[in-house]
Amino acid sequence: MLPVYLIGFMGTGKSTLGRALSLHTGYRFVDLDTEAERLLGATASEAFLRGDAESFRRTESRALEALAGETDVIVACGGGTPCRESNMELMLGSGTVVRLTASRERLLRRLEEAAGQRPLLAGYSGAQLEARVDELMAGREAAYSRAHRIFDATYLENEAEIEATCRRFIEEILSKQNVRGNSSDLSAAIKN
Ligand code: S3P
């Protein structure tokens, strides 16, 4: 299977769903943020805080380039990954790009809970967080909308929801791919 790239705004569930998909299918999971942080030797927050977001973005692109030639890998991108034109071109040309979305209510709840871990949202809450999300999201719409596919990942709040959403992703997206030759092979790859 060519790489499957999960893209979308912060909090749309790219890492949660990617990890669950990996468990269900046996495909390798890579969290691009973690990979970039490992290569950079600093967290995204540290890089952004010292005013060096660009080095994080560059390292993220480097990590992506290394993955583009691989097979059987599910990549959870960072929210900003598709905004760099060359990243998006690389992903569109080397695999399947799937945009995750979530309901506004759930998205804001997830971001409210974890805003401190996200340098672009640090210090925002309530109405200000909402306005910040709207502003960032509007600026990213053009890039996100280039994805090959779109998938609603609203329901990822507990084990049962993750399980159901994961199975729906396999049905709607992965089984439509040329996954390991054909879709019956995919059924065998899905672990219960
Ligand atoms: C970013 C999103 C983050 C991380 C960095 C920048 C963004 O990833 O890459 O903080 O620009 O949207 P997540 O979408 O995984 O939170």
Side-chain angles (χ1 to χ4, degrees), residues 23-140:
L23 284 173
H24 276 260
T25 62
Y27 296 131
R28 189 159 80 91
F29 169 67
V30 176
D31 189 308
L32 198 62
D33 281 337
T34 308
E35 193 55 19
E37 288 175 343
R38 189 180 65 77
L39 291 170
L40 187 63
T43 65
S45 292
E46 285 164 352
F48 278 69
L49 273 175
R50 64 176 183 233
D52 195 13
E54 183 50 30
S55 68
F56 177 77
R57 300 292 188 204
R58 254 201 322 272
T59 312
E60 187 181 43
S61 296
R62 195 149 55 85
L64 190 64
E65 279 160 25
L67 288 166
E70 294 205 8
T71 54
D72 296 347
V73 63
I74 295 168
V75 184
C77 296
T81 312
C83 303
R84 187 175 271 213
E85 170 80 14
S86 56
N87 288 345
M88 198 57 179
E89 293 296 331
L90 181 67
M91 292 193 285
L92 288 168
S94 62
T96 303
V97 182
V98 185
R99 175 189 185 174
L100 302 190
T101 59
S103 74
R104 184 177 177 82
E105 184 213 339
R106 291 239 186 165
L107 186 72
L108 287 169
R109 200 193 318 151
R110 287 178 202 165
L111 294 175
E112 190 82 59
E113 281 163 10
Q117 293 150 32
R118 293 193 160 94
L120 293 178
L121 303 178
Y124 291 88
S125 66
Q128 282 169 338
L129 176 68
E130 221 171 312
R132 173 76 169 152
V133 167
D134 286 344
E135 180 201 351
L136 286 171
M137 199 133 34
R140 289 167 174 207

